[in-house]
Amino acid sequence: MIPSVLPTYNRAPLNFVKGEGSWMIEADGRRFLDLGAGIAVNVLGHANPILVEALTEQAGKLWHVSNLYQIPQQQALADKLVENSFADTVFFTNSGTEACELAVKMARKYWYDKGQPEKIEIIGCEGAFHGRSSAGIAAAGGEKLTKGFAPLLPGFKHVPWLDWDALKEAISDKTAAVIVEPVQGEGGIRPMPDADMRALREICDEAGILLILDEVQCGVGRTGKLFAYEWAGITPDIMMVAKGIGGGFPLGAVLASEEAASGMTAGTHGSTYGGNPLGCAVGNAVMDVVATPEFLDDVSRKSGLLRQKLEGLVAAHPEVFEEVRGVGLMLGLKCKAVNIDVVNAGYDAQVAIVPAADNVVRLLPPLTISEDEISEAVSRLDKAAEQVAAAKD
Ligand SMILES: *Cc1c(COP(=O)(O)O)cnc(C)c1O
């Protein structure tokens, strides 16, 4: 019999009933160190008093009004994002998938309004993830996402990760934009080297097409910069954000330059909940903490510490792990053992990590994780690795 919850997830038998900072507490009282953070969502940890205050204060005033009216919290958050990024304008969504939908629509509308309606094609990279909507799965293109869901939204092409010759070959008179993640998340924590990011920007400029960055997972401080594109010193034309921006409240956004957004006039797009007062109250509080040099420097410092300890872990368990990769607090351990076995052994050691493609386990802790918690996390991962190694023998 089908479960009452549609069984599209392989769920671990864990019932978390409370969160405190970097910790999740199971119904039976066990405390788990959270190195998943709801998949890069809880950037300020669980039940952060600043976010609890922002949400409950707003909840006592006004939960929801339509985008037919001014929403001051939304205006404030848009101003903050514009001030702290390449963007001139922002549209708020409830999720990363919805941000992908708008990014695709915006790129196509741009060319339509320029009198080049034939430019509809968007080129993505193999191994990508852009969400589960029809546009999202078509943009990513992988068989795991698309199989059985034909007909797919037309107008998408894919090239191998970092294969710029293949990209140049794929660009035609019909190309509207390229879409990439600066750090592939679901694809196995694959950062795009800065030189490649600059090469990509150059190719888009030469071809006169738009560059869409998907920073849904790697944005909002995760890499040690507010947005990952900053590392390469380039700017995109359109950018998708979600996950961390709401700190656990469903919130996403599309950021764009004035030029790229020029087709999106009144009536061309909308959302009932997007940018609602509750979500934006939390988003403002997240930005006030994360978008400061001190906070971002701290992420980089802790990244160095975690990375160094993970290198030690890999060296101690060469039969379980192959290498550490990633940037900031978006790190991956490429496994020799089966990654799911490592995740499950992590549960036994009361540390939560997240599997990704390419036999990788992801570490995406709250950006507020402490040095002591980093040490504790790695010692728990060490225990998990011992268990995996013992089971292998
Ligand atoms: C999670 C994710 C999405 C989809 O976001 P949802 O909020 O789950 O719809 C899109 N792109 C990337 C890179 C993601 O990691």
Side-chain angles (χ1 to χ4, degrees), residues 50-356:
I50 296 170
L51 301 191
V52 172
E53 157 96 35
L55 182 65
T56 50
E57 197 199 324
Q58 185 58 43
K61 284 192 206 155
L62 181 67
W63 284 32
H64 179 79
V65 286
S66 166
N67 279 306
L68 293 171
Y69 311 111
Q70 307 291 323
I71 301 178
Q73 298 80 8
Q74 187 182 131
Q75 181 65 54
L77 182 53
D79 289 345
K80 269 177 206 157
L81 288 167
V82 164
E83 198 176 304
N84 286 282
S85 75
F86 75 97
D88 301 311
T89 188
V90 182
F91 183 93
F92 291 102
T93 67
N94 310 287
S95 68
T97 297
E98 288 165 88
C100 181
E101 291 292 320
L102 174 55
V104 166
K105 284 178 70 176
M106 187 182 280
R108 289 177 172 170
K109 185 67 159 46
Y110 174 78
W111 291 111
Y112 179 89
D113 283 9
K114 288 257 172 251
Q116 293 183 264
E118 72 284 358
K119 284 172 94 62
I120 51 108
E121 251 170 31
I122 296 176
I123 305 175
C125 289
E126 289 168 11
F129 184 80
H130 300 300
R132 300 290 194 145
S133 64
S134 293
I137 63 174
E143 198 194 349
K144 231 182 113 197
L145 298 165
T146 58
K147 194 174 173 202
F149 297 114
L152 297 181
L153 187 67
F156 292 90
K157 277 194 199 167
H158 302 93
V159 296
W161 179 240
L162 306 184
D163 187 341
W164 306 129
D165 289 336
L167 176 64
K168 284 182 205 156
E169 194 111 321
I171 291 172
S172 74
D173 294 345
K174 285 196 193 157
T175 307
V178 172
I179 182 168
V180 301
E181 296 155 85
V183 186
Q184 282 195 346
E186 307 298 310
I189 310 293
R190 298 199 290 179
M192 182 176 290
D194 293 345
D196 286 274
M197 183 65 87
R198 287 192 284 268
L200 172 60
R201 178 70 262 186
E202 232 174 85
I203 292 166
C204 291
D205 286 344
E206 271 166 27
I209 57 177
L210 301 172
L211 175 59
I212 304 170
L213 292 184
D214 180 346
E215 294 221 13
V216 169
Q217 196 162 145
C218 64
V220 194
R222 181 64 42 197
T223 66
K225 299 269 189 201
L226 185 58
F227 297 111
Y229 71 79
E230 296 170 36
W231 287 110
I234 59 107
T235 56
D237 301 296
I238 299 172
M239 182 168 77
M240 301 146 54
V241 173
K243 293 200 165 96
I245 187 70
F249 197 93
L251 181 64
V254 173
L255 282 64
S257 68
E258 182 166 15
E259 173 73 9
S262 57
M264 303 307 295
T265 49
T268 55
H269 198 64
S271 169
T272 297
Y273 285 124
N276 117 330
L278 289 176
C280 288
V282 180
N284 275 299
V286 168
M287 278 293 286
D288 287 345
V289 176
V290 175
T292 61
E294 304 77 50
F295 186 90
L296 294 167
D297 287 348
D298 201 44
V299 170
S300 288
R301 198 179 47 77
K302 289 186 291 193
S303 165
L305 179 70
L306 176 55
R307 204 177 172 114
Q308 183 196 349
K309 286 182 182 288
L310 292 175
E311 299 285 1
L313 181 75
V314 170
H317 301 281
E319 69 289 13
V320 180
F321 301 116
E322 221 172 282
E323 62 158 352
V324 187
R325 59 205 207 189
V327 46
L329 290 175
M330 185 171 186
L331 297 174
L333 290 167
K334 166 90 172 154
C335 297
K336 268 205 193 112
V338 178
N339 63 347
I340 304 293
D341 292 345
V342 178
V343 171
N344 286 330
Y347 293 145
D348 290 341
Q350 291 170 227
V351 57
I353 50 178
V354 183

Side-chain angles (χ1 to χ4, degrees), residues 356-378:
D358 200 24
N359 203 34
V360 163
V361 294
R362 268 179 284 181
L363 286 73
L364 310 158
L367 304 181
T368 49
I369 192 169
S370 71
E371 288 185 20
D372 286 350
E373 286 166 343
I374 286 173
S375 298
E376 179 61 27
V378 177

